[in-house]
Amino acid sequence: TKIYASDFGDDGITTHYSHHITISDCHSFDAAGSYSVSSNGVEIDDGSSWISVVNTTARNCVYGVMVQSHEDRVAASDVVIIGGVSEDCDRGVYLLAGAAGTGGARVTIIGRRIINCSQAAIRVGDYRDVDIIGVHALNCGAFLTGQGTSATKMTRIRLTDCVDDGGTVATSLGSGTLGTNGIVELVNHTIVNKTGVANALLIGQSNVTVRGGRVEDNTITGGGAAVLVYNSADNCRVLGLAVRNNVGSS
């Protein structure tokens, strides 16, 4: 509790093979980056489980909060990230499982503010059963991106009451984003104030459900659509989504 870390090399705060740990009201900022290209504010690493990260700030780090494993290790799992801020990082929250086992599982992100993160607010790699609730991303490169060695490792991703505010990159759910066969659900997801995007919401994979939410006040270029379903996506549903005041959309 109440740890301040700065000018660090690999990570400000990290766990390895640790269980039932709470990290609360801590602050990591201005990572040195001299030791590793992964100088993260908080890193929950190899084999850790039942970890809570509460009201913890990461500013000017490579990744704000990273939940991961290395190639030959068991992925961290059963992690809850509650509140706090990631600001001026490459990615606000990054989930990445190594090659061992069947990927990582059961990560919940609640109410975190992610500001000016250049690559993405959240990136998911080979994790399943991920709940993202009440996250507000402001002027980030993208709200959600992904990577994975197997689509079966990346399923049951659910976003609820989140806001993708500003920036120049659409909220995109494509076959290269979360795996062709992943099950993804957006509930009351809001996309506002985008500028210069071809589309505000892109759905390019199967098994996506959008329930409620808003796509509004975005500036669309090139005659694109505010919402685009493409890439032969199957079994997709868009229910009760409000689409309005999107300048330039076809």
Side-chain angles (χ1 to χ4, degrees), residues 196-236:
V197 292
N199 312 99
L201 174 60
L202 282 165
I203 299 172
Q205 67 173 67
S206 300
N207 304 317
V208 173
T209 300
V210 179
R211 299 180 188 274
R214 297 181 295 128
V215 178
E216 64 183 23
D217 298 327
N218 300 289
T219 302
I220 310 297
T221 62
V227 180
L228 177 64
V229 181
Y230 73 108
N231 200 31
S232 300
D234 296 321
N235 194 31
C236 293

Side-chain angles (χ1 to χ4, degrees), residues 37-38 40 42-45 62-69 76 79 81 86 89-97 107 109 112 114 119-127 130 144-148 154:
V37 295
S38 180
N40 307 316
V42 178
E43 185 172 284
I44 310 304
D45 211 338
V62 177
Y63 310 133
V65 179
M66 186 165 193
V67 182
Q68 71 147 7
S69 67
V79 176
I81 301 165
S86 295
C89 301
D90 288 351
R91 297 165 187 155
V93 178
Y94 190 11
L95 315 181
L96 179 64
V107 176
I109 307 165
R112 191 164 183 85
I114 303 177
Q119 295 182 15
I122 299 169
R123 186 171 178 87
V124 178
D126 285 344
Y127 265 81
V130 176
L144 179 68
T145 61
Q147 66 188 66
M154 304 178 65

Side-chain angles (χ1 to χ4, degrees), residues 9 25 28 52 57 76 101 110 115 120 122 131 133 178-179 205 214 224 231 241:
D25 298 295
S28 294
S52 297
T57 298
I110 303 172
I115 303 168
I122 299 169
D131 280 293
I133 303 166
L178 292 174
Q205 67 173 67
R214 297 181 295 128
N231 200 31
L241 177 67

